[in-house]
Amino acid sequence: MTTSTRLLAGLMFGTALTIAGAAQAQVKEVEMVHWWTSGGEAAALNVLKDDLQKKGYSWKDNPIAGGGGAPAMTVLRARLTSGNIPTAVQMLGFDIQEWAEFGVLANLNAVAEKEGWDKVVPQALQRFSKYNGQWVAAPVNVHSTNWVWLNKAQLDKLGGKAPANWDELVALLEKAKGAGIIPIAHGGQLWQDATLFDSVILTTGGGDFYKKAMIDLDPAALSSPTMKTVFERMAVLRSYVDNNFSGRDWNLASAMVIKGEALMQIMGDWAKGEFVNAGKKPDQDFVCIRFPGTQGQVTFNSDQFALFKVGASREEAQAVLASATMNPAFQSAFNVVKGSAPARTDVSDAAFDACGKKAIADLKEANEKGTLYGSMAHGHANKASVKAAMYDVITSHFNRQITTDQAVAQFQKAVAAAK
Ligand code: BGC
């Protein structure tokens, strides 16, 4: 049996079981597979748990650590293969579409139509939440990856001016190094290296180049002189991380900036969840800026709850979860804590701090101007196999296992083989 036939057999087995039990009482429990294991992420998840508890549903937690979600997706595949299907799964972009293609995701159209999701969820998200016109996932937020988080006191010591372009960024990093502060707090993990890459490609080539290379996978763009500059710049960033960066979790890197051990972290706005969870305030304790040279453009990713076909006894729980997720008050409360923007356009920014307000405004602007691009690092530019191929080359190069010329030569070939 191939993996996919085993998988389908497992899913069919699960479905048959639940159909036989259709007359049974509804299971008043939501089991979710997710990778929200940091302090800030757990605090955001508590908003959802409390909300469901009030609605009479208990929470069965299934956390699988690992930013970007690759380990969670591996566990999910194993569970589905054995017919052990969770009520809901945190999922990103193209992964949702791949599962939908398999025909194993539930149909949420009834609740989506009743609540008018089509009118309030941005098209850029619907492109991932819907498959063949059918809602298969409920979007809980919009994150973006082209951010920098700076310790305010350390920035002030270095002159107080946040960098507005690549050269200013390098000048500031150099100053930090000279002052004995770790310039960049980073964790050497595939997805974190790739998160840096999202920003470097956007600032180096601009939005059109980002789209051509990362989304359209244009071979000429992937092997272009611009791509060479991108890898050269990745090597520059590498020279400003500390010696212990290898394998460090992203939230520990955030903590280095929170404590003032490091000047900045280049990371998606889930990092803000860590600052907020530590009681820190924007413009007072930390500063948030778009990655220098990328203001006006956004590389986004949206966490969505993908709901699998679990059978009748858990369909009510799924509908309650989907509806709770899309509730405007919940979207505000959850995303204030998570660091992200709401996944609907009609949620007020009143409860959000300055960085949250900026996230919402930047997103709106990028959406209107056509400068909103799916994040490669977080599964919104291309399918998982292509993402993994890019990750490999980016990380080998970041770790100095291959030269810049080798990286450029390998990049396009690796993508072509994975397409
Ligand atoms: C998810 C975020 C999460 C981050 C780090 C991203 O892929 O979209 O919700 O906080 O990974 O775990």
Side-chain angles (χ1 to χ4, degrees):
M1 241 193 211
T2 64
T3 306
S4 48
T5 44
R6 259 204 315 273
L7 191 58
L8 284 175
L11 284 166
M12 273 149 49
F13 181 56
T15 308
L17 275 183
T18 42
I19 286 169
Q24 291 167 7
Q26 290 292 317
V27 178
K28 293 271 187 183
E29 176 195 81
V30 169
E31 190 211 353
M32 184 166 318
V33 171
H34 63 88
W35 62 93
W36 286 332
T37 54
S38 77
E41 291 172 330
L45 197 56
N46 279 339
V47 179
L48 179 61
K49 288 183 197 170
D50 292 349
D51 197 45
L52 289 173
Q53 223 134 38
K54 280 191 207 123
K55 294 182 166 65
Y57 286 80
S58 64
W59 180 264
K60 191 169 170 201
D61 208 30
N62 219 311
I64 318 284
M73 292 303 104
T74 304
V75 168
L76 176 67
R77 270 191 299 278
R79 283 192 55 164
L80 294 177
T81 307
S82 61
N84 180 11
I85 312 169
T87 323
V89 182
Q90 176 195 358
M91 212 178 269
L92 297 172
F94 278 88
D95 289 339
I96 303 171
Q97 293 292 303
E98 286 190 46
W99 285 113
E101 212 173 300
F102 255 125
V104 295
L105 295 186
N107 184 346
L108 307 178
N109 277 4
V111 56
E113 272 160 30
K114 191 164 150 244
E115 299 183 354
W117 293 4
D118 275 288
K119 284 186 245 99
V120 293
V121 175
Q123 286 300 325
L125 302 197
Q126 287 195 33
R127 184 244 177 279
F128 296 107
S129 334
K130 286 168 98 170
Y131 183 79
N132 282 346
Q134 184 179 313
W135 284 88
V136 294
V140 64
N141 63 20
V142 194
H143 273 301
S144 48
T145 57
N146 59 319
W147 286 105
V148 180
W149 310 90
L150 298 119
N151 179 292
K152 172 93 167 54
Q154 296 293 17
L155 178 64
D156 286 347
K157 271 193 222 157
L158 299 170
K161 191 177 170 299
N165 55 43
W166 175 261
D167 290 342
E168 287 182 19
L169 172 67
V170 176
L172 180 65
L173 292 170
E174 196 52 37
K175 256 194 198 173
K177 198 174 181 177
I181 309 162
I182 296 169
I184 301 175
H186 182 66
Q189 296 175 344
L190 295 152
W191 72 273
Q192 291 192 59
D193 301 341
T195 301
L196 260 54
F197 198 81
D198 270 0
S199 284
V200 174
I201 198 161
L202 196 58
T203 196
T204 306
D208 288 343
F209 181 79
Y210 181 94
K211 182 175 176 297
K212 242 191 219 160
M214 295 291 100
I215 296 170
D216 303 340
L217 305 180
D218 174 44
L222 286 168
S223 53
S224 63
T226 307
M227 194 55 82
K228 184 170 180 194
T229 309
V230 170
F231 278 104
E232 279 166 359
R233 288 180 166 187
M234 288 296 287
V236 171
L237 294 183
R238 166 68 182 83
S239 70
Y240 291 108
V241 309
D242 66 310
N243 288 336
N244 297 322
F245 83 104
S246 198
R248 176 188 288 138
D249 286 331
W250 68 272
N251 53 314
L252 301 181
S254 306
M256 290 165 67
V257 179
I258 291 171
K259 289 188 222 142
E261 291 165 12
L263 173 63
M264 68 174 73
Q265 182 182 23
I266 300 161
M267 188 45 63
D269 40 14
W270 44 92
K272 201 198 74 183
E274 297 304 298
F275 284 84
V276 171
N277 194 47
K280 302 298 178 193
K281 303 243 173 324
D283 300 327
Q284 201 173 302
D285 306 305
F286 68 96
V287 175
C288 58
I289 55 167
R290 286 292 167 185
F291 188 91
T294 70
Q295 182 63 50
Q297 313 183 79
V298 171
T299 39
F300 81 97
N301 62 296
S302 165
D303 291 303
Q304 309 213 8
F305 296 145
L307 303 175
F308 283 77
K309 289 178 181 164
V310 279
S313 67
R314 286 195 280 162
E315 277 173 3
E316 200 178 279
Q318 289 185 318
V320 168
L321 170 68
S323 171
T325 301
M326 290 302 293
N327 178 284
F330 169 77
Q331 286 268 336
S332 174
F334 177 90
N335 288 306
V336 159
V337 181
K338 184 72 174 68
S340 33
R344 15 187 329 151
T345 51
D346 60 346
V347 177
S348 158
D349 71 357
F352 289 77
D353 64 20
C355 299
K357 284 188 170 62
K358 179 170 168 53
I360 294 170
D362 286 356
L363 203 62
K364 184 166 180 284
E365 183 200 355
N367 196 22
E368 285 165 5
K369 281 195 344 200
T371 55
L372 181 61
Y373 308 101
S375 155
M376 175 278 292
H378 295 268
H380 282 68
N382 246 291
K383 60 180 183 178
S385 56
V386 172
K387 179 179 84 172
M390 289 190 178
Y391 273 19
D392 274 349
V393 179
I394 293 166
T395 286
S396 303
H397 174 259
F398 200 75
N399 288 332
R400 299 171 173 162
Q401 288 155 348
I402 53 173
T403 64
T404 291
D405 283 335
Q406 285 170 327
V408 179
Q410 286 177 18
F411 204 50
Q412 187 263 322
K413 281 196 203 119
V415 168
K419 267 206 261 189

